[in-house]
Amino acid sequence: MKDEIILKSTDLFLNLGFKSVTMDDIAHEMGISKKTIYQHFKNKTKLVETTAMHVFNKIANGIDCICELDKNPIEEVYEIKRFVMLHLKDEKSSPQYQLQKYYPKIYSTLKRKQFEKMLGCVKRNLERGLSQGIYRSSIDIDFTARLYFNGMISLKDQDIFPREDFAMSTLMNNYLEYHLRGICSTKGLETLTLLHTNIK
C-alpha cells in the first residue's frame, strides 16, 4: 500500500502541485481513508519528501541508463532532456518552484542531490565530447558543468521566467541550443545542425 500511495501522490503532485494537493485529495483519488495514508506517513511533509526523492531516483536511474548507451554526446544531451521532461509532466504545475516556496528544506536537499548527479553527468559528457573533437578543446570542464547546472536551475525560477510567458519545453530547447553552440567545435556544430534537421 505504501508504494501505491507514493505512486499516486507523485502523479497528483506533479500534475497539480505540491501545495495544491491535500491528503484528503490523495485518499479520495485512491478510494482509501486518510487514516490509511497516515499509517505510512506521519504528515504531508514526510509524504512530499518521499515522493520528491522517488522522482529524483527514478530520473537519476533513467539518466544513468541513457549515459550507458554511449551515444554521441550532443544526442545524449537531447535524449536526457526528453526523458526528464517526460517524467516531470512538462512541469505544468511547476513542482520544483512549489517545493522551493513551501518546502524549502526538502528543496535544499533535493537541489544538492541534483547538483551532485548533474555535475558528474555533465562532466562525463564534456570529457567525451572533447575526446571526440565535437566540443572545443579550450573549454574548462568544471566551470562549464557548474554553469550548465546553474542555468538549468534558473529556468525553473518563475520570477525570472514566468510560466505564463515561457513554456518549459521552449526554455529547455533554447537553453540546450545556447549551451551547445557555446561549446561545440566546427565538427560539433555540423552534428548539431544535422540533429536539428532530423528532428524537424
Side-chain angles (χ1 to χ4, degrees), residues 10-22:
T10 298
D11 186 53
L12 290 170
F13 286 146
L14 289 181
N15 280 300
L16 303 171
F18 287 105
K19 175 68 173 174
S20 312
V21 177
T22 65

Side-chain angles (χ1 to χ4, degrees), residues 6-7 9-11 13-14 18 41 44-60 88 95-96 99-100 103 105-111 113-114:
I6 291 169
L7 289 174
S9 301
T10 298
D11 186 53
F13 286 146
L14 289 181
F18 287 105
F41 302 95
K44 185 184 173 184
T45 300
K46 193 63 188 172
L47 180 57
V48 167
E49 181 183 25
T50 304
T51 55
M53 293 309 154
H54 168 75
V55 172
F56 169 79
N57 289 327
K58 191 173 182 181
I59 290 174
L88 289 181
Q96 192 132 337
L99 206 59
Q100 183 178 8
Y103 300 94
K105 284 186 178 178
I106 298 172
Y107 173 79
S108 181
T109 301
L110 186 64
K111 185 179 176 183
K113 283 179 169 288
Q114 287 175 331

Side-chain angles (χ1 to χ4, degrees), residues 108-170:
S108 181
T109 301
L110 186 64
K111 185 179 176 183
R112 189 175 66 253
K113 283 179 169 288
Q114 287 175 331
F115 175 68
E116 291 165 0
K117 183 68 190 175
M118 192 182 281
L119 197 67
C121 179
V122 175
K123 279 185 175 182
R124 285 190 297 274
N125 180 277
L126 293 170
E127 285 162 0
R128 287 177 54 239
L130 279 172
S131 69
Q132 294 175 28
I134 60 175
Y135 295 157
R136 291 186 293 107
S137 59
S138 59
I139 64 171
D140 182 317
I141 288 178
D142 189 51
F143 170 79
T144 304
R146 289 169 187 271
L147 192 67
Y148 182 77
F149 174 80
N150 197 53
M152 275 292 183
I153 291 295
S154 73
L155 294 184
K156 296 169 184 179
D157 187 333
Q158 293 202 34
D159 292 327
I160 300 173
F161 296 107
R163 199 57 72 244
E164 59 269 20
D165 298 326
F166 298 93
M168 182 52 74
S169 56
T170 304

Side-chain angles (χ1 to χ4, degrees), residues 32-45:
I32 60 175
S33 69
K34 198 159 59 167
K35 186 180 175 183
T36 304
I37 300 176
Y38 283 119
Q39 286 173 352
H40 299 281
F41 302 95
K42 64 179 180 181
N43 52 42
K44 185 184 173 184
T45 300

